Coordinates of all heavy atoms in Angstrom, one line a residue:
M8 N -3.1 -126.5 160.5 CA -2.5 -127.7 159.9 C -1.9 -128.6 161.0 O -1.2 -128.1 161.9 CB -1.4 -127.3 158.9 CG -2.0 -126.6 157.7 SD -3.0 -127.7 156.7 CE -1.8 -128.9 156.1
H9 N -2.2 -129.9 160.9 CA -1.6 -130.9 161.8 C -1.0 -132.0 160.9 O -1.7 -132.6 160.1 CB -2.7 -131.6 162.6 CG -3.4 -130.7 163.6 ND1 -4.2 -129.7 163.3 CD2 -3.3 -130.7 165.0 CE1 -4.7 -129.1 164.4 NE2 -4.1 -129.7 165.5
F10 N 0.3 -132.2 161.1 CA 1.0 -133.4 160.5 C 1.2 -134.4 161.7 O 2.0 -134.2 162.5 CB 2.3 -133.0 159.9 CG 2.2 -132.3 158.6 CD1 1.9 -130.9 158.5 CD2 2.5 -132.9 157.4 CE1 1.8 -130.3 157.3 CE2 2.4 -132.3 156.2 CZ 2.0 -131.0 156.1
V11 N 0.4 -135.4 161.7 CA 0.3 -136.4 162.8 C 1.0 -137.6 162.4 O 0.7 -138.3 161.4 CB -1.2 -136.7 163.1 CG1 -1.2 -137.6 164.4 CG2 -1.9 -135.4 163.3
M12 N 2.1 -138.0 163.2 CA 2.9 -139.2 162.8 C 2.9 -140.1 164.0 O 2.9 -139.7 165.2 CB 4.4 -138.7 162.6 CG 4.5 -137.7 161.5 SD 3.9 -138.3 159.9 CE 5.0 -139.7 159.6
R13 N 2.9 -141.4 163.7 CA 3.1 -142.5 164.7 C 4.5 -142.2 165.4 O 5.5 -142.0 164.7 CB 3.1 -143.8 164.1 CG 1.7 -144.4 163.7 CD 1.8 -145.7 163.1 NE 2.4 -146.7 164.1 CZ 1.6 -147.6 164.8 NH1 0.3 -147.6 164.6 NH2 2.2 -148.4 165.6
A14 N 4.5 -142.3 166.7 CA 5.8 -142.1 167.4 C 6.8 -143.1 167.0 O 8.0 -142.8 166.8 CB 5.6 -142.1 168.9
D15 N 6.4 -144.4 166.7 CA 7.3 -145.4 166.4 C 7.8 -145.4 165.0 O 8.6 -146.2 164.5 CB 6.7 -146.8 166.7 CG 5.5 -147.1 165.9 OD1 5.1 -146.4 165.0 OD2 4.8 -148.1 166.3
S16 N 7.3 -144.4 164.2 CA 7.9 -144.1 162.8 C 9.2 -143.4 162.9 O 10.0 -143.4 162.0 CB 6.9 -143.3 162.0 OG 6.8 -141.9 162.5
G17 N 9.5 -142.8 164.1 CA 10.7 -142.1 164.3 C 10.8 -140.7 163.7 O 11.8 -140.1 163.7
V18 N 9.6 -140.3 163.1 CA 9.6 -139.0 162.4 C 9.3 -137.9 163.5 O 8.3 -137.9 164.1 CB 8.5 -138.9 161.3 CG1 8.5 -137.6 160.7 CG2 8.8 -140.0 160.3
T19 N 10.3 -136.9 163.5 CA 10.1 -135.8 164.4 C 10.3 -134.4 163.7 O 10.1 -133.4 164.3 CB 11.2 -135.8 165.6 OG1 12.5 -135.8 165.0 CG2 11.0 -137.0 166.4
D20 N 10.6 -134.5 162.4 CA 10.7 -133.3 161.6 C 10.3 -133.6 160.2 O 10.1 -134.8 159.8 CB 12.0 -132.6 161.7 CG 13.2 -133.6 161.3 OD1 12.9 -134.6 160.6 OD2 14.3 -133.3 161.7
F21 N 10.2 -132.6 159.3 CA 9.8 -132.8 157.9 C 10.7 -133.6 157.1 O 10.3 -134.5 156.3 CB 9.4 -131.5 157.3 CG 8.0 -131.0 157.7 CD1 7.9 -130.2 158.8 CD2 6.9 -131.4 157.1 CE1 6.7 -129.8 159.3 CE2 5.6 -131.0 157.5 CZ 5.5 -130.2 158.6
P22 N 12.0 -133.4 157.2 CA 12.9 -134.3 156.4 C 12.7 -135.8 156.7 O 12.9 -136.6 155.8 CB 14.3 -133.8 156.9 CG 14.1 -132.4 157.2 CD 12.8 -132.3 157.9
G23 N 12.3 -136.1 157.9 CA 12.1 -137.5 158.3 C 10.9 -138.1 157.6 O 10.7 -139.3 157.7
L24 N 10.1 -137.3 156.9 CA 8.9 -137.9 156.2 C 9.3 -138.7 154.9 O 8.6 -139.5 154.4 CB 8.0 -136.7 155.7 CG 7.2 -136.0 156.8 CD1 6.4 -134.9 156.2 CD2 6.3 -137.0 157.5
E25 N 10.6 -138.5 154.4 CA 11.0 -139.2 153.2 C 10.9 -140.7 153.4 O 11.4 -141.3 154.4 CB 12.5 -138.8 152.9 CG 12.9 -139.3 151.6 CD 14.3 -138.7 151.1 OE1 14.7 -137.7 151.7 OE2 14.9 -139.3 150.2
G26 N 10.2 -141.3 152.4 CA 10.1 -142.8 152.5 C 8.9 -143.2 153.3 O 8.6 -144.4 153.3
K27 N 8.2 -142.3 154.0 CA 7.1 -142.7 154.9 C 5.8 -142.7 154.1 O 5.7 -142.1 153.0 CB 7.0 -141.8 156.1 CG 8.3 -141.8 156.9 CD 8.6 -143.2 157.5 CE 9.9 -143.1 158.4 NZ 10.3 -144.5 158.9
T28 N 4.8 -143.4 154.6 CA 3.5 -143.4 154.0 C 2.5 -142.4 154.8 O 2.3 -142.6 156.0 CB 2.9 -144.8 154.0 OG1 3.8 -145.7 153.3 CG2 1.5 -144.8 153.4
I29 N 2.0 -141.5 154.0 CA 1.2 -140.4 154.6 C -0.2 -140.4 153.9 O -0.3 -140.5 152.7 CB 1.9 -139.0 154.4 CG1 3.3 -139.0 154.9 CG2 1.0 -137.9 155.1 CD1 3.4 -139.3 156.4
L30 N -1.2 -140.2 154.7 CA -2.6 -140.0 154.2 C -2.9 -138.5 154.2 O -2.9 -137.9 155.2 CB -3.6 -140.8 155.0 CG -5.0 -141.1 154.4 CD1 -5.6 -142.2 155.2 CD2 -5.9 -139.9 154.5
L31 N -3.2 -138.0 153.0 CA -3.5 -136.6 152.9 C -5.0 -136.4 152.8 O -5.6 -135.3 153.0 CB -2.9 -135.9 151.6 CG -1.4 -135.7 151.6 CD1 -0.9 -135.1 150.3 CD2 -0.9 -134.9 152.8
G32 N -5.7 -137.4 152.3 CA -7.2 -137.3 152.0 C -7.3 -136.7 150.7 O -6.4 -136.5 149.9
K33 N -8.6 -136.3 150.4 CA -8.9 -135.8 149.0 C -9.9 -134.7 149.1 O -10.9 -134.7 149.9 CB -9.5 -136.9 148.2 CG -8.6 -138.2 148.0 CD -9.4 -139.3 147.3 CE -8.5 -140.5 147.2 NZ -9.3 -141.7 146.7
G34 N -9.7 -133.6 148.3 CA -10.7 -132.6 148.1 C -10.9 -131.6 149.2 O -11.8 -130.8 149.2
S35 N -10.1 -131.7 150.3 CA -10.2 -130.8 151.4 C -9.1 -129.7 151.4 O -8.1 -129.8 150.7 CB -10.2 -131.5 152.7 OG -8.9 -132.1 152.9
F36 N -9.3 -128.7 152.2 CA -8.3 -127.7 152.4 C -7.0 -128.3 152.9 O -5.9 -128.1 152.4 CB -8.7 -126.6 153.4 CG -7.6 -125.7 153.8 CD1 -7.2 -124.6 152.9 CD2 -7.0 -125.8 155.0 CE1 -6.2 -123.8 153.3 CE2 -6.0 -124.9 155.4 CZ -5.6 -123.9 154.6
G37 N -7.1 -129.2 153.9 CA -6.0 -129.9 154.5 C -5.2 -130.7 153.5 O -4.0 -130.8 153.5
A38 N -5.9 -131.4 152.6 CA -5.3 -132.2 151.6 C -4.5 -131.4 150.6 O -3.3 -131.6 150.3 CB -6.3 -133.0 150.8
S39 N -5.1 -130.3 150.1 CA -4.4 -129.5 149.1 C -3.2 -128.7 149.8 O -2.1 -128.5 149.2 CB -5.3 -128.5 148.5 OG -6.0 -127.6 149.4
E40 N -3.5 -128.3 151.0 CA -2.4 -127.6 151.7 C -1.3 -128.5 152.1 O -0.1 -128.1 152.0 CB -3.0 -127.0 153.0 CG -2.2 -125.9 153.6 CD -2.3 -124.5 153.0 OE1 -2.9 -124.4 151.9 OE2 -1.8 -123.5 153.5
G41 N -1.6 -129.7 152.5 CA -0.5 -130.7 152.8 C 0.3 -131.0 151.6 O 1.6 -131.1 151.7

């Protein structure tokens, strides 16, 4: 698993994902796992 974030989003941990826009994709292991 890779959670890849733009550095300028300021996200360095999972709590920082709140309010951000993330692309999970569809129908893949990574999407369901994410």
Side-chain angles (χ1 to χ4, degrees):
M8 292 297 292
H9 293 71
F10 283 78
V11 185
M12 304 299 300
R13 287 179 62 99
D15 60 14
S16 71
V18 179
T19 58
D20 56 20
F21 282 90
L24 290 176
E25 186 170 346
K27 302 300 182 181
T28 300
I29 306 296
L30 197 161
L31 292 180
K33 302 172 184 176
S35 66
F36 170 79
S39 59
E40 197 79 350

